[in-house]
Amino acid sequence: MSMVFFAQFILSFFASFSFGIIFNIPRRHLVASGVTGALGWIMYYFLSQTIGIEPLISNFVAAITMTSTAIFFTKRLQAPLIVFVTCGLIPLVPGGKAYESVRAVVENDNLAALDSGFQAALIALSIAMGIIITEMMYELFNIIKRKVSNR
């Protein structure tokens, strides 16, 4: 089991790392963006494959993990958050469901196309909500921290 997790971590790391190269982010941020994507994917894989939690919730929690890691690297490396979130998001994108939806459209199976497309949209929405909620909580924490320190 641990070998599977290690392989999943390495492959998702290189996926995020490679997209960092494609997106032309600074070299000093490539490893951090790879780690961000890998930790998000490992959380998703653990929740969905090991525990058996629904994909919507697994993606939501993975997006929270990925965004929290991105915030950590943003503070540590003094870089914009978007650098790490964009690359870290790559392993979580529901490309398989979107492909199934398009394939069903081509095969004229409208019911399957609607089902797959709706699932892909819900997964994408759960990822977006995980990112937004994490960023909002971080900003709220900073506002409260500033107010308390000004007293």
Side-chain angles (χ1 to χ4, degrees), residues 7 11 23 26 28 30 35 46-47 51 54 67-69 96 102 104 124 126 145:
L11 292 173
F23 294 152
R28 66 183 181 278
L30 286 172
V35 170
F46 173 73
L47 293 175
I51 297 179
E54 298 257 340
T67 308
S68 299
T69 307
V102 171
S126 73
K145 189 170 128 181

Side-chain angles (χ1 to χ4, degrees), residues 48-65:
S48 66
Q49 301 299 320
T50 306
I51 297 179
I53 295 176
E54 298 257 340
L56 285 176
I57 296 171
S58 298
N59 276 294
F60 179 73
V61 174
I64 290 172
T65 303

Side-chain angles (χ1 to χ4, degrees), residues 67 71 74-75 81 131-147:
T67 308
I71 289 170
T74 294
K75 290 182 73 168
L81 183 65
I131 293 169
I132 291 168
I133 289 172
T134 306
E135 286 186 44
M136 287 174 57
M137 294 299 288
Y138 175 70
E139 290 301 322
L140 182 64
F141 175 75
N142 281 338
I143 290 169
I144 293 170
K145 189 170 128 181
R146 278 192 297 263
K147 293 230 185 220

